[in-house]
Amino acid sequence: MRFALVLLAAAATASDDKTHVVVAGSGSHALGVVACVRSVFEGALNQVQVHVIVQQKDVHDFQAALRCALPQEDWRVVPWEDRRVARLVSVRHGKKGYLAHALNYARFYLREILPDNVDKALWLDSDTVVIGDITSMVRNALTRGRNAVAAVAREKKACGTHFLNCSNPDALELLWETRVDVDALDAFNAGVVVYDLRRWAEQKLTERVERWLELNLKTEAFTLGTNPPLVLAT
């Protein structure tokens, strides 16, 4: 596990509303996915529904693994494969080829993947372990303003060789043409993100992310997979 999300359990009032959590992973990440999902349930003080997004071929294996590891039944395995993603994937970082897996891009299509009655969801990368309660955090996130996502800021600025390729003149020209202020742009960690799916749809953020992915196929504005376009689009 690369990191643990530490959440201090705040005093929370009982709620009938479920907190929706999304984890995605291929068969090679099954152990991480199960550990992540288990940690969510173990720390939750209120009702949680976990959606595990996998490839069609892995559905039965994930169902069996989750049934074996979890006494809770508030989880569902969701098969998802989308042809749109294959043409948009562009990961040029030599040591991070795993970021090119299509399931990493499911975070951009949650409005389509999750049930219509889910307005807010917490995305967790499969290498995350939750220590504490996530329900109060999700409930209190994005209660004001128009932001569609909430996440933890990175210490480093977005303009750098491992995030935005600001050493590439063509990339800088693209950012300038699209009116991106790279000095003011704050990077954040896309591995732990709360999504307001209603605002996401209203602001057409899936289309904006896809536009950035298309632009990156032509001009190397970023080398990693899903984190840079999410920051640029939101």
Side-chain angles (χ1 to χ4, degrees), residues 110-126:
L110 296 181
R111 179 70 286 174
E112 302 173 17
I113 297 171
L114 299 182
D116 292 340
N117 64 339
V118 178
D119 289 330
K120 187 187 289 185
L122 171 65
W123 172 282
L124 297 176
D125 276 356
S126 61

Side-chain angles (χ1 to χ4, degrees), residues 30-68:
L31 290 177
V33 170
V34 172
C36 178
V37 174
R38 186 180 181 116
S39 72
V40 169
F41 282 117
E42 288 179 343
L45 297 179
N46 295 290
Q47 196 171 11
V48 173
Q49 172 85 55
V50 179
H51 311 263
V52 180
I53 303 174
V54 303
Q55 292 175 291
Q56 180 67 52
K57 65 182 182 64
D58 294 326
V59 168
H60 295 303
D61 290 342
F62 271 90
Q63 288 175 332
L66 290 166
R67 278 195 296 265
C68 181

Side-chain angles (χ1 to χ4, degrees), residues 36-187:
C36 178
V37 174
R38 186 180 181 116
S39 72
V40 169
F41 282 117
E42 288 179 343
L45 297 179
N46 295 290
Q47 196 171 11
V48 173
Q49 172 85 55
V50 179
H51 311 263
V52 180
I53 303 174
V54 303
Q55 292 175 291
Q56 180 67 52
K57 65 182 182 64
D58 294 326
V59 168
H60 295 303
D61 290 342
F62 271 90
Q63 288 175 332
L66 290 166
R67 278 195 296 265
C68 181
L70 299 170
Q72 297 89 348
E73 296 182 356
D74 288 335
W75 54 264
R76 58 193 287 264
V77 175
V78 184
W80 182 78
E81 294 178 31
D82 197 306
R83 294 181 179 178
R84 288 174 294 182
V85 173
R87 68 178 179 81
L88 296 173
V89 172
S90 175
V91 176
R92 297 182 175 91
H93 195 295
K95 295 182 179 180
K96 295 186 180 290
Y98 59 89
L99 295 177
H101 198 289
L103 288 171
N104 281 323
Y105 294 76
R107 71 190 79 209
F108 302 140
Y109 301 92
L110 296 181
R111 179 70 286 174
E112 302 173 17
I113 297 171
L114 299 182
D116 292 340
N117 64 339
V118 178
D119 289 330
K120 187 187 289 185
L122 171 65
W123 172 282
L124 297 176
D125 276 356
S126 61
D127 57 0
T128 305
V129 171
V130 177
I131 304 173
D133 174 47
I134 54 91
T135 61
S136 59
M137 180 193 73
V138 176
R139 184 174 60 251
N140 293 324
L142 301 172
T143 56
R144 300 177 182 177
R146 297 185 64 255
N147 290 338
V149 300
V152 177
R154 293 183 182 272
E155 294 182 0
K156 295 182 179 180
K157 283 291 185 181
C159 195
T161 55
H162 293 300
F163 201 86
L164 294 182
N165 190 7
C166 297
S167 61
N168 181 346
D170 292 336
L172 281 177
E173 183 177 355
L174 171 63
L175 294 168
W176 181 80
E177 289 176 350
T178 50
R179 299 183 180 180
V180 173
D181 185 346
V182 293
D183 294 324
L185 192 64
D186 291 322

